[in-house]
Amino acid sequence: MYTFSNKLKTFSIILMVLGLLGVGYGFMTSHKSFEEVETMLAGETSHGGGHGEAAESHESVAHDEHAAEASHDMDAHGASAEVHADEHAKHVEHVQHQIANRPWSALYVAAFFFMMIALGVLAFYAVQWAAQAGWSPVLFRVMEGITAYLLPGALIVLAIAVASGTSWLGGHYNLFVWMDPEVVAHDELIKGKSGFLNMTGFIIRGLIFIAGWSLYRYYSRKFSIAQDSADNNQNFKKTFRISAAFLVFYIYTESMMSWDWIMSVDPHWFSTLFGWYVFASMFVSGITVIAMFTIYLKSRGYLEFVNDSHLHDLAKFMFAISIFWTYLWFSQFMLIWYSNIPEEVTYFVTRFADYKLPFLGMVVMNFVFPLLVLMNSDYKRIPWFVVMAGIVILAGHYIDVFNMIMPATVGDRWFIGIPELSSICLFAGLFIFITFTALTKAPLLAKGNPFIKESEHFHY
Amino acid sequence: MEASKVIHAIYTDDDVLMAAVKRVRAEKHHIEEIYTPFPVHGLDKAMGLAPTRIAITSFMYGCVGLTVAIVMMNYIMIQDWPQNIGGKPSFSYIENMPAFVPIMFELTVFFAAHLMVITFYLRSRMWPFKKAENPDVRTTDDHFLMEIAIHGNEKELTTLLEETGAVEVNIIDKAH
């Protein structure tokens, strides 16, 4: 049995408290008045050109929420002072809204990132069962511990999404513009999609996804623990069946979840392989976290049955799925770049204009670094090497989620500062607290599993 | 060169062979060669063979392939005749790079795979019309053969090999 070390528990609580304080600070400082934003913008442009220039450069960048109103800027230059003043007010309001969106987006990105780790681990776990893998049963309890975060984590993500789109919960359509009836009324494109993109549907779908994932998690865990003291393989067979069924359910719901929870921040944009792309991101982060938890628990002496061949296999998965992620990332990017259809390419134009460093930096962190570091077979067995690669991969996939959400909500007003870092701290603390608490609930060796002997003697 | 004599010990089971290899190595005899009909897992470790470096060569060949692709596409598409083809930006390599990635990828794989295979053939001396070096035809079917050079310790070796479970121990004069 694992005992949650007091040091780690205190550490996770400190993370949560610091995170909460920072998130609170982020919300307190993000509500700027019209005048404040106006002075701020004047300060920014005083050494550049005048207002008109700044306004123009802002309008030329495609912000989805304003695309409906964007038609007005054609004659902005030659128009009268009245129109100019109107332009100016719109621009200031736009920036004001972006600044107000930032703490919401920071919270949402971090919440989604940690939820996605738990969901990726759950998918990996189901694959191991369905494939009847002989190497991984010694790691099942670690995976089950990590997936304990899924239910609270996914509910938090859904709650943030809904709260951001309902004025009575404090939000003001801060993440999803299609939640704003004002925007939908003036936007034919979003109106056409409102059969799918509406609040009721969003909540119901979200609850169905979460319920399905959590049910699988609950029953697989229950059967797995029941198998420890069983004298036949009944529980094993049941888990095998529900894992196969779950994988079917998962691949549908994961795809729809990615449209709902991520792609719909840009309701004018669509991509067919987006669901797979998000899947690859969550799968590789999940596997990385399994490897890091395993290394941590082994270093504390709780997993003496795990040897470096298990680590080698996990690192191979980290390596391979990193490349798979890159394949999907590039396929999505290259197809859109190549055909250059305006309605699709704005997505990457904004990212290239305003997010050059995170957008390209993430490819280095998620592809080049793991490719070179984890290629050598000997390095995959060295714990500190795997941990180092894992930290870079996780940071890279945080930035991946950041790149998916932020350009649509805060545009060029992004920065990785207090709101972002403290949101990460908050959810990292919660993640550590919940997962390690779950690890104390059952023995770390699933001893009833029929493959456990093979797994204990696994060597590669 | 001395006119060498070798001893051939023939086994019918890979587990027995593995045990024999360990025993012979423990007695400090040098094993010249082992012939098996299929890969015996762990035999190379038991024999103390050095690990292969073929993966390293493959990595280097892959780098060569990547370089060839970049230099070729840069010369053809950017330097030699930078045409406007469907509005693709042929001003610099990096601007049009996404279009070249499929070629870069395939050539990397092509070079890494093919040159590694050729390296393997050269290094293990395999080519068409090569004379087979098989001391006993049964080793391609169901027998395992261990070859040890004799340096005046014929008796001792024979008893040792018979103890390890060899079904046949033959002394062969290797005419050079």
Side-chain angles (χ1 to χ4, degrees):
Chain A
M1 288 296 257
Y2 170 69
T3 41
F4 198 166
S5 81
N6 267 328
K7 250 189 210 159
L8 192 64
K9 192 180 269 177
T10 321
F11 174 68
S12 70
I13 291 168
I14 290 172
L15 276 181
M16 279 190 272
V17 171
L18 279 179
L20 263 181
L21 288 175
V23 169
Y25 170 81
F27 276 98
M28 304 253 281
T29 50
S30 69
H31 290 287
K32 296 226 187 312
S33 69
F34 187 89
E35 285 73 29
E36 278 173 315
V37 177
E38 202 170 24
T39 3
M40 190 191 82
L41 285 174
E44 278 174 20
T45 49
S46 58
H47 36 252
H51 269 309
E53 212 175 291
E56 192 201 29
S57 74
H58 270 284
E59 294 295 346
S60 67
V61 175
H63 294 298
D64 275 321
E65 63 262 51
H66 280 240
E69 307 144 49
S71 57
H72 60 145
D73 81 330
M74 295 304 291
D75 53 346
H77 271 294
S80 63
E82 197 182 318
V83 177
H84 197 275
D86 190 41
E87 268 311 285
H88 169 72
K90 278 221 169 89
H91 176 222
V92 174
E93 267 170 29
H94 176 70
V95 174
Q96 190 187 4
H97 193 62
Q98 286 182 330
I99 293 171
N101 287 346
R102 189 173 156 203
W104 282 99
S105 310
L107 199 63
Y108 190 69
V109 169
F112 187 89
F113 175 69
F114 284 97
M115 186 285 290
M116 135 178 141
I117 290 173
L119 186 55
V121 172
L122 190 67
F124 188 73
Y125 178 73
V127 168
Q128 299 303 309
W129 275 98
Q132 303 201 355
W135 67 277
S136 52
V138 293
L139 303 172
F140 276 178
R141 286 293 146 78
V142 178
M143 299 185 210
E144 285 164 19
I146 299 171
T147 54
Y149 181 76
L150 181 61
L151 179 61
L155 286 174
I156 290 170
V157 173
L158 189 64
I160 296 172
V162 172
S164 79
T166 37
S167 44
W168 45 274
L169 279 175
H172 194 73
Y173 317 113
N174 291 94
L175 288 170
F176 301 92
V177 277
W178 58 264
M179 287 181 180
D180 188 348
E182 226 7 65
V183 170
V184 179
H186 294 102
D187 189 322
E188 285 298 326
L189 269 172
I190 301 182
K191 222 189 275 175
K193 293 180 183 182
S194 60
F196 188 85
L197 288 182
N198 58 71
M199 200 55 142
T200 331
F202 182 85
I203 295 172
I204 292 172
R205 281 193 304 274
L207 290 176
I208 292 173
F209 305 156
I210 296 171
W213 304 334
S214 307
L215 277 177
Y216 169 70
R217 198 265 159 191
Y218 174 79
Y219 281 107
S220 59
R221 165 84 163 174
K222 194 178 136 188
F223 295 152
S224 168
I225 287 172
Q227 184 68 50
D228 274 1
S229 51
D231 48 8
N232 59 21
N233 284 336
Q234 208 53 46
N235 294 295
F236 171 80
K237 287 178 186 162
K238 278 194 235 167
T239 319
F240 172 73
R241 282 191 214 114
I242 60 170
S243 300
F246 167 73
L247 285 171
V248 176
F249 175 82
Y250 167 79
I251 208 64
Y252 279 104
T253 50
E254 188 275 332
S255 202
M256 291 174 76
M257 176 277 283
S258 72
W259 310 334
D260 263 348
W261 296 1
I262 296 187
M263 201 157 80
S264 81
V265 293
D266 289 294
H268 285 181
W269 182 79
F270 45 86
S271 165
T272 37
L273 63 70
F274 195 74
W276 280 102
Y277 169 60
V278 174
F279 162 73
S281 208
M282 70 170 62
F283 210 49
V284 67
S285 327
I287 293 163
T288 305
V289 170
I290 298 174
M292 292 169 95
F293 269 53
T294 307
I295 291 169
Y296 171 77
L297 289 171
K298 191 169 165 58
S299 74
R300 289 279 172 277
Y302 288 106
L303 299 174
E304 73 282 355
F305 38 83
V306 168
N307 56 43
D308 57 359
S309 292
H310 294 107
L311 187 61
H312 189 160
D313 263 31
L314 285 169
K316 273 193 277 188
F317 268 107
M318 284 161 65
F319 175 72
I321 310 294
S322 284
I323 292 168
F324 176 64
W325 174 88
T326 316
Y327 166 62
L328 293 175
W329 172 83
F330 183 72
S331 300
Q332 176 169 284
F333 171 73
M334 198 261 255
L335 285 180
I336 292 174
W337 171 85
Y338 217 119
S339 59
N340 204 18
I341 301 171
E343 71 189 77
E344 285 180 5
V345 87
T346 51
Y347 186 81
F348 287 114
V349 170
T350 28
R351 278 155 184 78
F352 248 91
D354 301 330
Y355 289 75
K356 202 164 267 152
L357 181 65
F359 187 73
L360 298 173
M362 125 188 131
V363 183
V364 176
M365 291 167 86
N366 292 341
F367 174 62
V368 182
F369 188 82
L371 179 84
L372 295 176
V373 165
L374 292 177
M375 192 178 308
N376 190 319
S377 162
D378 296 333
Y379 294 170
K380 290 198 265 264
R381 290 165 179 266
I382 305 172
W384 69 265
F385 231 88
V386 178
V387 169
M388 181 185 67
I391 290 169
V392 175
I393 290 175
L394 286 180
H397 285 281
Y398 171 80
I399 295 175
D400 187 17
V401 182
F402 187 86
N403 277 328
M404 291 193 247
I405 302 288
M406 289 295 184
T409 53
V410 302
D412 60 351
R413 298 275 144 196
W414 69 275
F415 191 70
I416 297 188
I418 290 175
E420 287 78 12
L421 294 175
S422 46
S423 301
I424 297 174
C425 284
L426 171 62
F427 289 107
L430 192 65
F431 185 84
I432 293 173
F433 188 80
I434 291 178
T435 50
F436 280 91
T437 307
L439 283 171
T440 61
K441 295 281 175 5
L444 287 174
L445 181 64
K447 64 173 189 295
N449 191 300
F451 288 112
I452 203 75
K453 272 280 161 300
E454 180 182 344
S455 183
E456 280 176 56
H457 299 294
F458 172 71
H459 80 100
Y460 168 75
Chain B
M1 245 351 248
E2 48 183 315
S4 57
K5 268 179 155 183
V6 292
I7 192 158
H8 281 174
I10 295 178
Y11 299 86
T12 50
D13 188 285
D14 50 341
D15 286 334
V16 179
L17 174 76
M18 283 292 276
V21 169
K22 280 171 195 153
R23 179 80 195 279
V24 170
R25 292 248 306 154
E27 305 275 339
K28 304 259 187 276
H29 293 293
H30 177 71
I31 301 173
E32 293 274 296
E33 195 66 85
I34 293 182
Y35 297 86
T36 66
F38 54 79
V40 177
H41 197 77
L43 186 61
D44 54 338
K45 284 228 171 63
M47 288 172 72
L49 298 181
T52 172
R53 287 168 296 182
I54 200 153
I56 299 169
T57 67
S58 180
F59 178 79
M60 295 192 292
Y61 297 146
C63 294
V64 172
L66 184 64
T67 314
V68 167
I70 293 173
V71 170
M72 176 178 77
M73 298 313 291
N74 184 52
Y75 176 69
I76 297 173
M77 302 300 288
I78 310 295
Q79 306 299 332
D80 189 38
W81 195 345
Q83 282 189 101
N84 182 343
I85 303 168
K88 285 277 159 294
S90 303
F91 308 108
S92 69
Y93 190 78
I94 198 73
E95 273 183 292
N96 210 359
M97 207 232 2
F100 304 141
V101 166
I103 298 162
M104 287 154 66
F105 172 76
E106 293 295 349
L107 278 182
T108 308
V109 174
F110 180 88
F111 272 65
H114 288 83
L115 292 180
M116 177 175 75
V117 168
I118 293 168
T119 307
F120 170 73
Y121 286 153
L122 292 176
R123 206 63 191 79
S124 45
R125 308 179 161 280
M126 280 163 65
W127 53 84
F129 313 113
K130 176 190 157 95
K131 197 169 173 304
E133 299 164 352
N134 192 357
D136 191 318
V137 285
R138 291 173 297 172
T139 60
T140 62
D141 182 16
D142 59 351
H143 283 65
F144 304 82
L145 189 151
M146 188 196 297
E147 184 180 293
I148 303 169
I150 299 175
H151 303 289
N153 48 359
E154 211 175 301
K155 265 265 145 32
E156 184 201 338
L157 257 176
T158 317
T159 27
L160 172 65
L161 289 170
E162 266 159 5
E163 270 172 33
T164 60
V167 290
E168 258 179 53
V169 178
N170 304 325
I171 292 159
I172 310 281
D173 263 316
K174 250 195 172 174
H176 278 292

